[in-house]
Amino acid sequence: MNDSRTAPDSMADSVAAELAEDDTASMLAGQAEVVDAILAANRVFVAVAAGALANLEPEITLPQFRALVLIDIHRSMTAAELAEALGVVPSTATRMCDRLVAKELVDRTVDATNRRQVTVTLRPEGRTLIAQSTRRRKREITRLLKSIPPETQAELAMSLGALVQAAHGSDRTRASRAR
């Protein structure tokens, strides 16, 4: 048996190795299993979100859905604010807004004093689409939770709550929250 290791034995080893390369994350190297579990849960949440958008009319992508939610949270946003919140360049946000306007999910208003400033607001059709997707996500998450014992569900709620609290303190998530 060859004892040399050219590849990680597990995903946890892989995550630990990746974290060890990043100075700011090196303190998390002992938490590789937690990071791995969160990444796996994230894949589940993305799959649930994508499934909730399937067959909705009009069809939208996950990034477009995220834009709709951000616009809803903020009531209205300029294209520049939306770009910042999405972490994209302004031209990408403008093209996304063009698509959402064409799908009649948002309205775009040009500022009378500064024609380069465009504000987008959610139309009732956009709110309806968000509500439909949210109902579908809730149904799927409820279905998944039925196989988890109630005491484990309570622990899960506490753990996810702690993660959400940590995210609220992060500069990386600040633009995604209501101001």
Side-chain angles (χ1 to χ4, degrees):
M1 174 151 56
N2 186 352
D3 214 324
S4 68
R5 295 184 183 200
T6 57
D9 285 341
S10 70
M11 180 63 95
D13 290 340
S14 175
V15 170
E18 187 175 320
L19 290 174
E21 295 171 10
D22 183 355
D23 290 343
T24 61
S26 64
M27 69 179 96
L28 299 177
Q31 298 173 336
E33 287 182 29
V34 175
V35 171
D36 194 36
I38 292 170
L39 289 172
N42 185 60
R43 286 189 290 275
V44 170
F45 293 140
V46 169
V48 168
L53 294 176
N55 303 318
L56 285 181
E57 285 297 326
E59 285 186 24
I60 63 168
T61 64
L62 277 173
Q64 288 171 341
F65 182 77
R66 183 165 177 238
L68 291 176
V69 170
L70 286 168
I71 294 165
D72 189 37
I73 289 169
H74 294 273
R75 304 276 190 248
S76 70
M77 297 180 84
T78 65
E81 290 169 337
L82 183 59
E84 181 182 341
L86 292 171
V88 299
V89 295
S91 61
T92 299
T94 298
R95 284 190 303 278
M96 183 181 290
C97 289
D98 291 343
R99 291 182 186 100
L100 294 173
V101 166
K103 293 176 184 195
E104 300 181 345
L105 298 172
V106 300
D107 284 322
R108 178 178 26 217
T109 308
V110 177
D111 188 294
T113 59
N114 179 357
R115 295 193 48 79
R116 292 185 331 180
Q117 185 166 327
V118 175
T119 302
V120 288
T121 54
L122 202 60
R123 292 179 57 134
E125 296 85 349
R127 276 192 190 79
T128 298
L129 191 132
I130 291 171
Q132 289 172 329
S133 175
T134 300
R135 280 192 300 274
R136 288 178 174 193
R137 283 194 329 265
K138 283 182 178 181
R139 262 195 313 264
E140 181 60 14
I141 290 169
T142 299
R143 186 188 69 75
L144 293 171
L145 287 174
K146 286 182 180 178
S147 66
I148 299 174
E151 58 278 359
T152 304
Q153 288 182 31
E155 292 171 15
L156 178 61
M158 284 180 39
S159 298
L160 290 174
L163 183 64
V164 168
Q165 283 299 102
H168 281 292
S170 168
D171 288 341
R172 291 181 178 164
T173 60
R174 191 161 288 129
S176 296
R177 298 189 308 271
R179 292 180 180 156

